[in-house]
Amino acid sequence: MKTKWTTENIPSQVGRRAVITGVNSGIGFEAALALAHKGAELILPARTQAKADDAVARILKQVPKAQLHPEILDLSVQASVHAFAKRVMERFPGQSLDLLINNAGVMALPTREVTADGFERQLATNYLGPFALTGLLLPSMKQIAGSRVVTVSSSASKQGKIEFDNLQSERVYKPMFQAYAQSKLADLIFSLELQRRLKAVGSPILSTAAHPGYAVTNLQADHVAAGLKMLMAIMKPFLSQDAAHGALPTLYAAVAPAAVAGGYYGPDGIAELKGYPTAVPIPKSALDITVAKRLWAESERLTRVKFGVLSDAA
Ligand SMILES: NC(=O)c1ccc[n+]([C@@H]2O[C@H](COP(=O)([O-])OP(=O)(O)OC[C@H]3O[C@@H](n4cnc5c(N)ncnc54)[C@H](OP(=O)(O)O)[C@@H]3O)[C@@H](O)[C@H]2O)c1
């Protein structure tokens, strides 16, 4: 499927309300900007008020009439996830959200870090935070066609393995191809399992997933492990794209009418590193339903967030 799909193809988002995480930088910012251009009302959390305000100011410069709500959210802190969700539900009561884009993430922290909740930082930020946020915000989503939860994974998920005896990397910690890859595989497994559960209860909400290929963003910042940094620098001139192009698969998963339940979208170019959005193969490791159910149960246990009827819908 060669789509050449761009932001021009985004249908009008007037009257639609979205939450996008990780909005002050990279793909999250570009996705927010594109949706603002199309008239969406956006709830835009960042880790600090200053970062959220700055993202809002930068979008307003280009889309002066945009309806934007800066917010604070640290996905690596479960209390922050709960507080954010509570504020959203108070400010926008009832079923009032059309879109949740779980975009924020961190990559390849050189040494193992543990959060205040006792979770390994990449798993906490990339997976357990978004898992809890989705569970808390699902009741706020409109039960209509068009409502979607998008989870941003990575092609690193192909290298991942869910190690239930090393979920927090407590036994072995390898920054990229174990801890980061595991967290991004968990994202993809979650997206697919969420879709199965939504379908089981007859919900019209879709769960979709995306990966940006290799987009030049702050993700490849100074903290990233040295070997990986060198590899990315070598690939950069030929095999990378800018953040705006990196945001296209996420936007496609979020709003393209052709995106399907449980779909996974990435760039259509060489090795899925750059290009236009297309459906990409789901790694076999993400398709194991026994692992998906066990991961879901473990995630509910760790975060203490239940998904209402979806908890028992498997
Ligand atoms: N760029 C790529 O080539 C690539 C490839 C595969 C997958 N991805 C995925 O794409 C997504 C977006 O990444 P990006 O490339 O746009 O990187 P980025 O420019 O570094 O943006 C990441 C965003 O996540 C936020 N974030 C980090 N930790 C957070 C926390 N604890 N709570 C809330 N927000 C937090 C960051 O906020 P701060 O500025 O405060 O840190 C930032 O806004 C990530 O899920 C990443 O894994 C990217």
Side-chain angles (χ1 to χ4, degrees), residues 5 99 101 148-151 206-210 247-256 259-260 263-265 277:
W5 192 92
L99 207 48
I101 302 184
R148 292 187 194 171
V149 176
V150 181
T151 305
L206 294 194
S207 170
T208 58
L248 290 176
T250 297
L251 287 162
Y252 188 93
V255 299
V260 298
Y264 182 38
Y265 302 96

Side-chain angles (χ1 to χ4, degrees), residues 34-91:
L35 293 176
H37 270 298
K38 294 287 177 169
E41 180 182 356
L42 301 173
I43 300 163
L44 301 177
R47 278 200 278 190
T48 63
Q49 188 70 48
K51 286 183 179 187
D53 288 344
D54 177 62
V56 163
R58 282 185 285 141
I59 294 173
L60 284 176
K61 249 189 194 165
Q62 297 192 53
V63 191
K65 286 192 177 151
Q67 278 181 277
L68 309 174
H69 308 282
E71 256 293 349
I72 299 174
L73 168 64
D74 186 336
L75 283 158
S76 70
V77 179
Q78 288 286 313
S80 173
V81 176
H82 281 263
F84 168 71
K86 189 164 175 269
R87 288 193 302 275
V88 170
M89 289 185 285
E90 280 167 4
R91 185 150 184 203

Side-chain angles (χ1 to χ4, degrees), residues 1-252:
M1 181 185 72
K2 291 272 177 189
T3 58
K4 299 246 186 283
W5 192 92
T6 70
T7 51
E8 299 285 304
N9 299 98
I10 298 175
S12 168
Q13 298 295 305
V14 172
R16 282 164 58 83
R17 187 178 288 139
V19 175
I20 308 172
T21 66
V23 80
N24 57 296
S25 169
I27 288 152
F29 177 79
E30 295 296 338
L33 180 62
L35 293 176
H37 270 298
K38 294 287 177 169
E41 180 182 356
L42 301 173
I43 300 163
L44 301 177
R47 278 200 278 190
T48 63
Q49 188 70 48
K51 286 183 179 187
D53 288 344
D54 177 62
V56 163
R58 282 185 285 141
I59 294 173
L60 284 176
K61 249 189 194 165
Q62 297 192 53
V63 191
K65 286 192 177 151
Q67 278 181 277
L68 309 174
H69 308 282
E71 256 293 349
I72 299 174
L73 168 64
D74 186 336
L75 283 158
S76 70
V77 179
Q78 288 286 313
S80 173
V81 176
H82 281 263
F84 168 71
K86 189 164 175 269
R87 288 193 302 275
V88 170
M89 289 185 285
E90 280 167 4
R91 185 150 184 203
F92 306 101
Q95 294 177 341
S96 58
L97 301 179
D98 297 273
L99 207 48
L100 167 60
I101 302 184
N102 287 315
N103 161 75
V106 285
M107 181 176 80
L109 304 177
T111 50
R112 180 175 181 264
E113 293 176 25
V114 179
T115 66
D117 299 308
F119 305 147
E120 185 278 317
R121 184 170 298 285
Q122 290 179 82
L123 192 79
T125 308
N126 300 353
Y127 173 63
L128 290 170
F131 177 91
L133 182 64
T134 306
L136 294 169
L137 287 186
L138 260 187
S140 297
M141 295 202 62
K142 294 178 190 165
Q143 290 287 336
I144 57 169
S147 295
R148 292 187 194 171
V149 176
V150 181
T151 305
V152 179
S153 179
S154 164
S155 44
S157 63
K158 288 181 204 157
Q159 270 80 43
K161 190 165 179 262
I162 304 299
E163 299 177 299
F164 288 104
D165 63 345
N166 189 41
L167 205 55
Q168 307 296 342
S169 306
E170 57 272 58
R171 223 170 22 79
V172 180
Y173 181 76
K174 291 183 193 150
M176 183 68 186
F177 293 116
Q178 175 264 326
Y180 179 71
Q182 175 176 252
S183 72
K184 288 288 152 181
L185 176 60
D187 283 335
L188 190 50
I189 291 174
F190 166 63
S191 179
L192 295 168
E193 180 64 12
L194 177 62
Q195 179 54 47
R196 282 190 285 274
R197 290 176 189 237
L198 288 166
K199 188 178 175 201
V201 299
S203 171
I205 301 170
L206 294 194
S207 170
T208 58
H211 82 78
Y214 175 7
V216 178
T217 64
N218 286 337
L219 203 69
Q220 304 91 25
D222 288 344
H223 66 258
V224 165
L228 179 64
K229 218 169 144 187
M230 196 190 295
L231 177 68
M232 301 202 100
I234 293 168
M235 288 164 63
K236 192 172 162 182
F238 316 101
L239 293 171
S240 70
Q241 54 189 355
D242 61 20
H245 284 87
L248 290 176
T250 297
L251 287 162
Y252 188 93

